[in-house]
Amino acid sequence: MEFSKEINQTKPFNNERIKAMLNVVYTANKQQEQMVELLKPYKINDQHYNILRILKGRNGEPATPGQVKEVLLNSRGDLTRLVDKLVKMEFVSRGHSPHDRRSVELLITNQGAGILAVIAKDFDANQVYDFQLTEQEAKQLNILLDKLRG
Amino acid sequence: MEFSKEINQTKPFNNERIKAMLNVVYTANKQQEQMVELLKPYKINDQHYNILRILKGRNGEPATPGQVKEVLLNSRGDLTRLVDKLVKMEFVSRGHSPHDRRSVELLITNQGAGILAVIAKDFDANQVYDFQLTEQEAKQLNILLDKLRG
DNA sequence: TTACTTTATTTGTATTTACAAATATATAAA
DNA sequence: TTTATATATTTGTAAATACAAATAAAGTAA
């Protein structure tokens, strides 16, 4: 649906650029809401999910909390306590770097990888990533967003 | 900057559509961070700001918390307590509807309108809405986002 | 009217988040 | 070595948030 209608905006926006930015915020929020909702049965939120994805993406190489934080798309919450929960759920293991004893090494466990696989199916069934865009349109969207951020 | 570089993603995304969605989330988060940062001196967050904007947009007509909530782009927080703070800061007044005594009527105060004007200048000086897009590109972006949401 | 249902908002409370300060280790300089 | 500075992470704590239950007023049906 067209954005203005979705938020019941009756009067037109000052300009398309401001409208676009609000549209970005709105769209991101919609996506987040859907994800949080679907993740609820697994007792984790979108931040936990993103952390697991990042750790899985390391393919067996550990990552420090700092590295994870850097790559996180959005930085709500605090890594220590988000990871605390994942460790308690046994989705992530925490060790110490032999090179730098300040650093903590995070690794996804088999159980963590398992839950990610289950969630992937769930997301798939719920069409979380079924966007109504062609690859070409998505490419164009990426270009515009990059440009928007300046 | 190109999104993948900004998040240090080395390996390419599965497809442009997923990348686009992540880009949307990332872009929205960037924008939110900038706003929250600039609003800090005024002791309010982005939700408070949005509430004030919505009330100002009513041009003297009161809005109920329910109506405000409906129009809010993103729904973190709880209206009652977000408004509590705005009332305490005297940016918003709370009354009761004569027609429906369950309903609460919210109005922006002169002081609230004043702070919005100050913030607008601040945002302007900090180029919060200086997006590097032409109107035509912004229009295209809006179309793609609407399509993305399906 | 009485009882039931719905709607609007608030409240209680556990959890999460923000943010400053603390801890612990590493690195660099004197 | 000692001291200072930087870096990685955790901790304490106030504030914000989520969510279920409570309150309170309307609306509807018998």
Side-chain angles (χ1 to χ4, degrees), chain B residues 74-117:
Chain B
N74 86 61
S75 41
R76 280 175 303 114
D78 92 61
L79 252 292
T80 301
R81 281 177 272 224
L82 286 167
V83 170
D84 279 351
K85 177 164 180 179
L86 292 173
V87 169
K88 192 150 61 183
M89 296 176 96
E90 301 186 40
F91 292 156
V92 168
S93 73
R94 231 194 295 235
H96 272 282
S97 162
H99 313 298
D100 183 339
R101 292 172 14 78
R102 288 170 306 181
S103 290
V104 166
E105 293 196 330
L106 304 175
L107 272 173
I108 191 166
T109 62
N110 287 335
Q111 214 178 321
I115 201 73
L116 271 189

Side-chain angles (χ1 to χ4, degrees), chain A residues 31-32 34-40 42 44-46 49-50 53 116-130:
Chain A
Q31 170 75 2
Q32 196 213 333
Q34 189 190 7
M35 280 189 42
V36 167
E37 194 54 37
L38 288 173
L39 289 171
K40 225 165 257 178
Y42 306 102
I44 61 173
N45 67 20
D46 58 322
Y49 174 74
N50 286 328
R53 297 265 308 207
L116 271 188
V118 173
I119 290 170
K121 271 191 197 145
D122 196 346
F123 277 15
D124 215 43
N126 284 282
Q127 304 172 304
V128 172
Y129 294 118
D130 253 13

Side-chain angles (χ1 to χ4, degrees), chain A residues 8-88:
Chain A
N8 294 310
Q9 180 92 7
T10 47
K11 64 180 170 188
F13 288 94
N14 283 347
N15 63 60
E16 287 287 327
R17 280 158 299 153
I18 290 193
K19 179 176 166 185
M21 189 66 240
L22 297 175
N23 201 342
V24 167
V25 171
Y26 178 76
T27 304
N29 192 245
K30 277 266 162 180
Q31 170 75 2
Q32 196 213 333
E33 271 176 13
Q34 189 190 7
M35 280 189 42
V36 167
E37 194 54 37
L38 288 173
L39 289 171
K40 225 165 257 178
Y42 306 102
K43 310 283 187 195
I44 61 173
N45 67 20
D46 58 322
Q47 295 285 76
H48 295 122
Y49 174 74
N50 286 328
I51 292 170
L52 288 177
R53 297 265 308 207
I54 289 165
L55 294 180
K56 171 141 178 287
R58 308 276 302 193
N59 282 110
E61 221 196 303
T64 67
Q67 288 167 334
V68 172
K69 190 171 204 165
E70 237 171 48
V71 179
L72 224 43
L73 293 183
N74 87 59
S75 42
R76 278 176 304 115
D78 90 63
L79 252 291
T80 302
R81 282 177 270 225
L82 286 166
V83 170
D84 279 350
K85 178 164 181 180
L86 293 172
V87 170
K88 193 151 63 184

Side-chain angles (χ1 to χ4, degrees), chain B:
Chain B
M1 202 203 294
E2 206 257 314
F3 172 58
S4 316
K5 290 207 183 85
E6 239 170 290
I7 63 163
N8 294 311
Q9 181 91 9
T10 47
K11 64 180 173 190
F13 287 96
N14 284 347
N15 63 60
E16 288 286 327
R17 280 158 298 151
I18 290 193
K19 179 177 167 186
M21 190 65 240
L22 297 175
N23 202 341
V24 168
V25 171
Y26 177 76
T27 304
N29 193 244
K30 278 266 163 181
Q31 170 75 3
Q32 197 214 333
E33 271 176 13
Q34 188 189 9
M35 280 190 42
V36 167
E37 195 53 38
L38 287 174
L39 289 171
K40 223 165 257 178
Y42 306 102
K43 310 282 187 196
I44 61 172
N45 67 20
D46 58 321
Q47 295 286 76
H48 296 122
Y49 174 72
N50 286 329
I51 293 170
L52 288 177
R53 297 263 310 205
I54 289 164
L55 293 180
K56 171 140 177 287
R58 308 276 301 193
N59 281 110
E61 222 196 300
T64 67
Q67 288 166 334
V68 171
K69 191 171 203 165
E70 235 172 50
V71 177
L72 225 41
L73 293 182
N74 86 61
S75 41
R76 280 175 303 114
D78 92 61
L79 252 292
T80 301
R81 281 177 272 224
L82 286 167
V83 170
D84 279 351
K85 177 164 180 179
L86 292 173
V87 169
K88 192 150 61 183
M89 296 176 96
E90 301 186 40
F91 292 156
V92 168
S93 73
R94 231 194 295 235
H96 272 282
S97 162
H99 313 298
D100 183 339
R101 292 172 14 78
R102 288 170 306 181
S103 290
V104 166
E105 293 196 330
L106 304 175
L107 272 173
I108 191 166
T109 62
N110 287 335
Q111 214 178 321
I115 201 73
L116 271 189
V118 173
I119 291 170
K121 272 191 197 147
D122 197 348
F123 278 16
D124 215 42
N126 283 282
Q127 305 171 303
V128 171
Y129 293 119
D130 252 14
F131 305 123
Q132 309 306 309
L133 294 179
T134 64
E135 278 293 286
Q136 188 47 47
E137 286 170 330
K139 203 171 226 165
Q140 180 63 11
L141 178 51
N142 278 310
I143 290 168
L144 291 172
L145 288 169
D146 293 346
K147 206 167 171 192
L148 173 74
R149 285 196 313 278

